[in-house]
Amino acid sequence: MSEEKDEGQKPEEIKAEEIKTEEIKAEEEAKAAAELPQSPAEAPAIAVDAEREAKLKAAAEARAARAAAKEAANAGGGAAPEGTVDAEREAKLKAAAEARAARAAAKEAANAGGAAPEGAVDAEREAKLKAAAEARAARAAAKEAANAGGAAPEGAEPPPPPEPSPKQPELDAAAKLIRSLVHEEALEDAYVNEMSRHMPTIIVKNEHWAATAELLKRHEELHFTYLRNVSGVDYETHLEVVYHLVHLESRRELAVKVKADRSDPVIASATPVWATANWNEREIYDLLGVTFQGHPDLRRIMMSDDWVGHPLRKDYEPLDSEV
């Protein structure tokens, strides 16, 4: 099909297409030359600049020649002057030859391991690399001194103290109320979990969980009326149940953790306080074996009633090891 098309074309149309094809090729080579890496380790900067300049010059000459050809065609209805076409083609071929020579020279210099021309090294980049190396050395020295139990090297700046969490006042207020109204030893720990959006977190001792749950929901300063989720975890040394509470008006959140003995895990049920704990606690009972005292309907919810064992325990042995 392409050959039949060429035979039906006029000579001036064929010339115009040749010009366009050559120009596209030159522009593509110019673009490739512009994108060549200019670091000292890959190609000399002077060779890249020379190739780019040749490409740009050839493209400008091609545009000028095409404009002249178009103007002549519009004025006389004929083909472009032969000298114009030849000049453009010659410029294209010359630019392509110069580009190939520049690339070959750059590649040869890189393969030979030769240094870049003087002045091609980026002074700013060299300074940055030097500063980065010094910073790494200082951090390594400080870390080594800290691991050895000694002081940081003289002149090394101590790390800035961490800023207090914006949720710390909320945590302090809740912990103070629990210690004063439930028991002064009711909390095993209270902290802000910065890895979880600065979540205020308390660990309630097992024997004080029932009274603490009532306080967290009923007290006007706490008023955590919504239980969003309950989850269970097997830490191998003990089991843990986590209650995620929300204050609906202020959107304050609180995570409450209660630990249980792994050999006989028993925790007071939160279902009498938050009804949404019902099925969550049944799931934890089913998969981890935690017994929730005071639950209104404590039975398996996922596995069959005659199932042996609790599938989410770390020591659980499945009937089929490939499942």
Side-chain angles (χ1 to χ4, degrees):
M1 294 295 292
S2 60
E3 292 179 359
E4 293 178 0
K5 182 178 178 181
D6 291 344
E7 290 176 359
Q9 286 182 316
K10 297 180 182 180
E12 58 269 22
E13 293 177 347
I14 296 175
K15 288 289 187 179
E17 286 190 4
E18 290 179 355
I19 294 171
K20 187 175 181 181
T21 301
E22 292 291 340
E23 182 182 2
I24 291 174
K25 182 179 178 182
E27 289 179 350
E28 288 178 351
E29 291 181 350
K31 183 178 179 181
E35 294 175 352
L36 281 175
Q38 299 186 20
S39 62
E42 294 180 344
I46 294 178
V48 175
D49 291 342
E51 181 179 359
R52 178 183 174 85
E53 185 178 350
K55 294 293 184 182
L56 293 175
K57 181 180 178 181
E61 292 175 352
R63 284 194 296 270
R66 192 175 67 256
K70 184 177 180 181
E71 183 179 353
N74 293 336
E82 183 177 356
T84 304
V85 177
D86 292 341
E88 181 178 1
R89 180 178 177 82
E90 185 178 349
K92 296 289 185 181
L93 294 174
K94 181 180 178 182
E98 291 175 354
R100 285 193 295 270
R103 282 197 300 271
K107 184 177 180 180
E108 184 178 353
N111 292 336
E118 186 177 356
V121 178
D122 190 340
E124 181 179 0
R125 183 171 183 273
E126 185 178 350
K128 288 181 179 179
L129 292 175
K130 182 180 179 182
E134 292 175 352
R136 285 194 296 270
R139 284 197 300 270
K143 184 178 180 180
E144 183 177 354
N147 292 336
E154 185 178 356
E157 297 183 1
E163 296 183 0
S165 170
K167 302 292 184 66
Q168 189 65 45
E170 298 177 14
L171 176 67
D172 293 341
K176 182 178 180 181
L177 284 172
I178 294 170
R179 290 189 174 107
S180 61
L181 299 178
V182 177
H183 194 280
E184 61 180 0
E185 300 292 334
L187 298 182
E188 183 178 327
D189 197 4
Y191 60 94
V192 174
N193 186 355
E194 296 183 359
M195 300 295 291
S196 181
R197 299 181 295 112
H198 288 262
M199 174 72 73
T201 304
I202 59 175
I203 302 178
V204 180
K205 291 185 177 180
N206 195 316
E207 63 270 24
H208 298 294
W209 166 231
T212 301
E214 289 283 353
L215 181 71
L216 289 172
K217 183 176 181 181
R218 314 295 180 195
H219 196 281
E220 59 182 5
E221 293 185 24
L222 299 173
H223 205 54
F224 289 102
T225 57
Y226 179 56
L227 174 63
R228 183 174 64 190
N229 185 40
V230 186
S231 58
V233 187
D234 182 0
Y235 285 104
E236 298 188 89
T237 57
H238 66 279
L239 298 179
E240 188 173 272
V241 179
V242 186
Y243 295 85
H244 301 267
L245 307 176
V246 179
H247 187 288
L248 291 177
E249 288 78 14
S250 65
R251 304 296 180 184
R252 288 185 290 110
E253 297 178 289
L254 181 68
V256 183
K257 299 183 177 183
V258 185
K259 297 180 180 180
D261 186 355
R262 200 169 187 276
S263 61
D264 184 23
V266 179
I267 294 177
S269 173
T271 302
V273 181
W274 296 282
T276 52
N278 191 325
W279 284 13
N280 288 301
E281 289 182 341
R282 283 181 59 187
E283 182 179 353
I284 296 170
Y285 164 74
D286 188 0
L287 302 180
L288 286 170
V290 178
T291 299
F292 293 93
Q293 286 185 338
H295 192 285
D297 186 25
L298 190 62
R299 55 192 172 91
R300 289 187 183 271
I301 193 172
M302 300 182 72
M303 315 306 292
S304 60
D305 291 337
D306 59 350
W307 194 268
V308 178
H310 305 282
L312 289 187
R313 282 212 180 193
K314 298 292 179 65
D315 57 356
Y316 175 74
E317 295 184 4
L319 296 177
D320 187 349
S321 59
E322 295 183 359
V323 175

